[in-house]
Amino acid sequence: MATLVYISLGSLLLLGNVCFGSNYYVGVGIADVTGPAADINMMGYANPGQTSHGLHMRQMSRAFIFAVSPASPRVIFVNLDAAWAGGAVKRQVVQKLKKRFGNLYTDKNVCISGTHTHSGMGGYSQYLLFDITALGFNHQTFEALVDGIVVSIVKAHDSMQPADLYVNKGELLESNINRSPTAYLNNPEAERAKYTHNVDKDMVVLKIVSSSGVDIGMISWFAVHCTSMNNTNQMISSDNKGYAAQQFENMFNPGSAPGKGPFVAAFAQSNEGDVSPNTRGPHCLDTGKECDVPTSTCNDRNELCVAFGPGKDMFESTQIIGNNQFKKAVELYNSASFKLSGPVDFRHSFADMTIQNVSLSNGSKVQTCKPSMGYSFAAGTTDGPGAFDFKQGTTTSNPFWNFVRDLIEDPSPELVKCQEPKPILLPTGEITKPYLWQPQIVDTQLLRLGQFVIIAVPGEFSTMSGRRMRDAVSSILIQGGFPANTSTVIGGLCNEYADYITTYEEYQIQRYEGASTTYGPYTLAAYIQLYRQLASAMAKGTPSPDGPTPPNLLDVQLNFVPGVIFDLAPSGEEFGSVLQDANPSYRAGSQVTVRFQSANPRNNLRTNGTFLSVERKDESGRWIIAFSDSYWETRFHWIRTETFLGYSEALIIWDIPIGQKSGTYRIQHFGTSKTVTGTLTNFVGTTSEFQVVAPR
Ligand SMILES: *[C@@H]1O[C@H](CO)[C@@H](O)[C@H](O)[C@H]1NC(C)=O
Ligand SMILES: *[C@@H]1O[C@H](CO)[C@@H](O)[C@H](O)[C@H]1NC(C)=O
Ligand SMILES: *[C@@H]1O[C@H](CO)[C@@H](O)[C@H](O)[C@H]1NC(C)=O
Ligand SMILES: *[C@@H]1O[C@H](CO)[C@@H](O)[C@H](O)[C@H]1NC(C)=O
Ligand SMILES: *[C@@H]1O[C@H](CO)[C@@H](O)[C@H](O)[C@H]1NC(C)=O
């Protein structure tokens, strides 16, 4: 026994330090986390009308595990195609990892960062506010996220190998604008003078190459909201960052379907709080003129002031902003030469953000507050205005909303004072019925990969907030003995989600981001103080305290979405019947539209599978899958045609690429129907064969 231990320990050391000559030991993994493609509200715009009715690009979890050697401390960075992860999802993921791997992966060294797509499925937060438009907590969404994240991490764990890491940084222009420029302008002039732009234009790229020179993976960070798809979109989509990731992975995994190849590319979020991808800026929907800038209204109405661009519609805008990020990441990846060396390390503490005592640099002692949302929160932003309106009488169609509206009370005088000058719309921190509305205890975390440090923040930092945070952490680390060439990046929307974080000066202006800075005017100052403590502990090599434990509210969650009762097909049709067949022939570059009798996609999420396939007949007459539902070129629309009788249809669109191989094709639709007694039956629909011929 003793000899065995000795030998394996010896070979581990040899593996880590001698044999390969690589500085790190890295694994990557990807898995499908797509939620229900029907009936559930999408997370982000809080638009009650934006419920899922199909799928454009699947939501993925992309996991990366880093260590110096097999036996040394590890960190996990997960990039999740979702609005954010949230503490409940992370806790469940960590519990499942614990069952499998013991204490290897914990709250402290696992980081889950959301891309902040606004077209992912909702209803997975344990805090009430974020589930209101989803009509409560949705177990199907929650489990799809948790299970998929775990699968991606297990894949990364199983693929760990000696590798080297490189970082690079460069400017990406024409891909993001500030959506609250008047708030930004309230920051001190001397501070603004240090920067050319009112948003961060830098993209940071981490390149991962195996010891044998094989490209393994890439993570890029660029601050821009994933709101190219607007609040009228009803197909699940990973938006501009998801599109960029598919393009990058496709380059390294030629011939693999989305999410199926070995190379994993993540386009992660950063300090995007006040940053929009809609680069043509806000205009009035009715007149086409510019909106009133300070208030983002047209004739005093926020609903009409919407930002567009750069494309002619939301699809083209998603593609352009995605492509810009993709191309810049390729350029930075190919030219990356700064090779990382040094420890992999992490610090993590939970902190109660409602009771932080902060010493400001001018000597004042101040405090954070219980959560509250200001009036401008209800107005929304120019990326998705004004649907979250508690004050209008528009709540009757949402039973959960009606239920919670009656719980809203007036804020206490102490809360009003603490949150000044925010006019409080929702005193969320003072309502505990039926359970907490917003988190009070959140994660704070730093991840170190040699001379590169990820500042993992639990929310949406504004541009200037992110800059102040990076400066504060960098200076503590470098003063504490880190190499002078250490760089930092803000990892946005990591772990718990605690809304927005603006600077004190931006907060005074009370734009949407300031109104959503929940813990009051000193929220940023409190975070900076907490992250300085983490940085200091990391530099000194001392542990970070665990902090208070967040509550587990999973057992008390409410849900007002009825389940699927049953599916039926009208007489004369059956599930999978072709209702609109393909034409005999199409030119490459044109569009195929077909329709099938269908059933509710909630009956089976087809995780890691597909609701459709575009198939080509090969020389020997076999059908080869050319496209599945996660490709940009395909769209799956699910249409409820008769609610009472349970009829529904699938509308499938294939945009034939201009260079598509000529030949014989067909389209299939895969679904699952449910009887009134709960029996589930899979079905397949198949179109007639059709020809694809060269473009004219
Ligand atoms: C969303 O984009 C579509 C075009 O793709 C456009 O017709 C619609 O007006 C936009 N809606 C909003 C609210 O931005
Ligand atoms: C960064 O600085 C450290 C210590 O000064 C040095 O050893 C290392 O080579 C530098 N790395 C790069 C890539 O310049
Ligand atoms: C801040 O100070 C108050 C007393 O004034 C104390 O109750 C609270 O625990 C302190 N907060 C923290 C995080 O230590
Ligand atoms: C310190 O700065 C804060 C705002 O950052 C301000 O509210 C406070 O009055 C200042 N205190 C002093 C003593 O100047
Ligand atoms: C996902 O599907 C692929 C085939 O498309 C298969 O090889 C793989 O094992 C599946 N993964 C899981 C976790 O089911």
Side-chain angles (χ1 to χ4, degrees):
M1 201 52 196
T3 328
L4 211 72
V5 169
Y6 174 74
I7 291 170
S8 66
L9 204 64
S11 58
L12 283 186
L13 291 175
L14 201 67
L15 272 170
N17 299 334
V18 186
C19 278
F20 299 101
S22 287
N23 288 342
Y24 295 98
Y25 191 67
V26 182
V28 304
I30 182 167
D32 185 4
V33 296
T34 308
D39 303 331
I40 310 298
N41 196 251
M42 303 177 110
M43 186 77 238
Y45 290 113
N47 176 2
Q50 194 195 8
T51 51
S52 57
H53 279 85
L55 192 159
H56 192 197
M57 292 186 287
R58 282 185 177 261
Q59 299 172 259
M60 295 287 166
S61 168
R62 295 178 167 88
F64 301 81
I65 310 185
F66 303 96
V68 167
S69 66
S72 70
R74 299 176 171 202
V75 302
I76 298 185
F77 183 83
V78 172
N79 182 52
L80 185 68
D81 286 329
W84 54 76
V89 166
K90 178 174 170 181
R91 180 177 50 230
Q92 203 79 0
V93 166
V94 168
Q95 274 173 14
K96 292 200 167 196
L97 293 176
K98 197 180 170 100
K99 281 209 182 105
R100 198 165 177 138
F101 301 112
N103 288 326
L104 199 52
Y105 307 119
T106 66
D107 279 331
K108 290 192 178 282
N109 63 353
V110 174
C111 170
I112 310 178
S113 170
T115 61
H116 207 39
T117 174
H118 279 42
S119 296
M121 296 324 304
Y124 57 89
S125 174
Q126 68 167 0
Y127 297 107
L128 181 136
L129 181 68
F130 309 123
D131 291 343
I132 290 178
T133 46
L135 307 188
F137 188 84
N138 188 284
H139 286 274
Q140 225 178 357
T141 306
F142 182 75
E143 276 154 31
L145 289 172
V146 169
D147 293 348
I149 293 168
V150 170
V151 170
S152 70
I153 291 174
V154 170
K155 279 193 189 172
H157 177 94
D158 290 342
S159 75
M160 287 188 81
Q161 56 182 309
D164 277 309
L165 304 175
Y166 301 84
V167 280
N168 203 1
K169 188 162 99 172
E171 257 194 1
L172 172 57
L173 300 177
E174 288 166 20
S175 303
N176 60 359
I177 60 167
N178 194 305
R179 69 184 189 189
S180 289
T182 50
Y184 179 89
L185 276 175
N186 205 41
N187 289 310
E189 197 175 345
E191 184 182 36
R192 284 185 285 116
K194 292 194 284 180
Y195 305 96
T196 314
H197 301 283
N198 63 2
V199 291
D200 281 341
K201 299 286 184 185
D202 279 337
M203 175 180 275
V204 174
V205 161
L206 181 74
K207 170 178 179 169
I208 311 168
V209 184
S210 82
S211 61
S212 50
V214 177
D215 293 285
I216 303 176
M218 188 280 310
I219 310 176
S220 76
W221 286 267
F222 182 70
V224 67
H225 256 81
C226 251
T227 49
S228 291
M229 297 300 287
N230 69 34
N231 69 7
T232 66
N233 172 46
Q234 298 194 307
M235 285 183 293
I236 292 176
S237 170
S238 46
D239 210 280
N240 58 55
K241 286 185 183 286
Y243 180 78
Q246 277 197 14
Q247 297 301 105
F248 205 109
E249 285 166 356
N250 187 43
M251 193 172 85
F252 283 97
N253 300 323
S256 294
K260 305 279 185 175
F263 185 96
V264 180
F267 284 74
Q269 199 47 276
S270 194
N271 49 325
E272 74 1 311
D274 51 358
V275 188
S276 166
N278 298 310
T279 51
R280 254 194 285 138
H283 289 85
C284 298
L285 285 177
D286 50 352
T287 62
K289 296 206 181 107
E290 267 200 34
C291 313
D292 178 55
V293 177
T295 59
S296 294
T297 52
C298 304
N299 278 328
D300 287 335
R301 291 186 54 199
N302 63 281
E303 296 93 326
L304 292 177
C305 175
V306 180
F308 289 99
K312 65 176 188 303
D313 59 22
M314 61 181 162
F315 295 98
E316 195 182 61
S317 296
T318 303
Q319 237 179 341
I320 294 170
I321 299 298
N323 241 318
N324 291 353
Q325 291 178 78
F326 160 60
K327 284 200 227 134
K328 179 53 75 173
V330 171
E331 179 196 318
L332 293 170
Y333 187 91
N334 288 334
S335 60
S337 63
F338 189 108
K339 188 172 177 175
L340 296 176
S341 59
V344 166
D345 202 0
F346 54 87
R347 290 292 181 280
H348 173 280
S349 295
F350 287 113
D352 185 341
M353 285 306 293
T354 66
I355 53 157
Q356 296 299 316
N357 304 302
V358 187
S359 304
L360 300 179
S361 53
N362 66 7
S364 284
K365 298 233 186 306
V366 294
Q367 278 192 321
T368 53
C369 328
K370 284 190 170 171
S372 305
M373 302 302 263
Y375 271 84
S376 307
F377 160 69
T381 73
T382 52
D383 289 334
F388 210 126
D389 202 336
F390 278 81
K391 300 187 67 207
Q392 308 297 321
T394 54
T395 60
T396 42
S397 63
N398 181 334
F400 194 35
W401 208 321
N402 291 347
F403 172 79
V404 300
R405 186 191 46 200
D406 298 337
L407 301 169
I408 299 171
E409 293 160 22
D410 285 341
S412 69
E414 301 80 61
L415 191 59
V416 170
K417 178 102 191 65
C418 187
Q419 293 271 0
E420 266 175 5
K422 179 194 287 177
I424 297 175
L425 174 67
L426 298 177
T428 48
E430 290 184 338
I431 329 171
T432 51
K433 277 183 268 175
Y435 41 88
L436 282 178
W437 282 45
Q438 285 186 287
Q440 310 204 335
I441 297 171
V442 307
D443 302 66
T444 61
Q445 190 179 39
L446 293 178
L447 307 178
R448 175 185 190 185
L449 312 172
Q451 299 99 331
F452 182 60
V453 176
I454 302 165
I455 305 168
V457 297
E460 309 187 52
F461 273 53
S462 69
T463 300
M464 197 61 99
S465 301
R467 290 168 176 170
R468 288 187 194 171
M469 176 62 93
R470 286 198 305 260
D471 287 351
V473 169
S474 295
S475 67
I476 296 276
L477 292 175
I478 292 169
Q479 281 161 27
F482 271 49
N485 55 19
T486 299
S487 61
T488 57
V489 70
I490 301 287
L493 300 127
C494 287
N495 306 318
E496 188 52 273
Y497 177 69
D499 285 277
Y500 283 78
I501 297 90
T502 61
T503 66
Y504 173 85
E505 294 82 358
E506 290 161 354
Y507 186 91
Q508 306 308 310
I509 305 299
Q510 284 294 303
R511 294 272 305 174
Y512 176 84
E513 296 81 12
S516 306
T517 295
T518 46
Y519 307 113
Y522 301 107
T523 302
L524 174 63
Y527 276 118
I528 289 179
Q529 183 169 291
L530 288 163
Y531 279 81
R532 285 168 67 102
Q533 287 162 12
L534 291 181
S536 168
M538 187 177 263
K540 289 193 191 118
T542 53
S544 45
D546 293 345
T549 305
N552 183 343
L553 307 174
L554 284 187
D555 288 345
V556 296
Q557 296 295 313
L558 297 173
N559 185 281
F560 287 77
V561 182
V564 179
I565 316 289
F566 61 85
D567 299 286
L568 273 183
S571 70
E573 307 291 353
E574 49 191 87
F575 297 114
S577 292
V578 178
L579 303 176
Q580 177 184 342
D581 207 348
N583 298 339
S585 166
Y586 297 86
R587 291 202 176 275
S590 65
Q591 191 175 70
V592 183
T593 302
V594 294
R595 228 155 24 89
F596 298 88
Q597 196 67 49
S598 194
N600 198 312
R602 278 199 279 154
N603 293 332
N604 181 341
L605 302 183
R606 312 201 105 72
T607 304
N608 193 40
T610 185
F611 288 103
L612 66 92
S613 62
V614 176
E615 302 176 8
R616 187 177 58 80
K617 206 187 236 175
D618 75 3
E619 293 69 24
S620 59
R622 273 181 319 170
W623 289 103
I624 310 294
I625 296 181
F627 294 87
S628 53
D629 65 14
S630 198
Y631 283 83
W632 177 262
E633 290 81 359
T634 59
R635 293 178 201 174
F636 163 57
H637 291 280
W638 181 75
I639 303 156
R640 167 67 79 204
T641 47
E642 222 299 334
T643 307
F644 192 65
L645 297 172
Y647 300 164
S648 65
E649 295 176 8
L651 177 77
I652 292 173
I653 295 175
W654 177 37
D655 285 310
I656 311 174
I658 203 89
Q660 189 63 30
K661 208 172 185 164
S662 296
T664 305
Y665 286 80
R666 68 176 186 186
I667 291 175
Q668 292 202 304
H669 166 48
F670 306 95
T672 303
S673 61
K674 184 176 179 180
T675 64
V676 90
T677 54
T679 308
L680 298 173
T681 310
N682 291 338
F683 63 85
V684 184
T686 308
T687 64
S688 302
E689 297 181 9
F690 59 90
Q691 301 301 311
V692 170
V693 299
R696 211 185 296 274

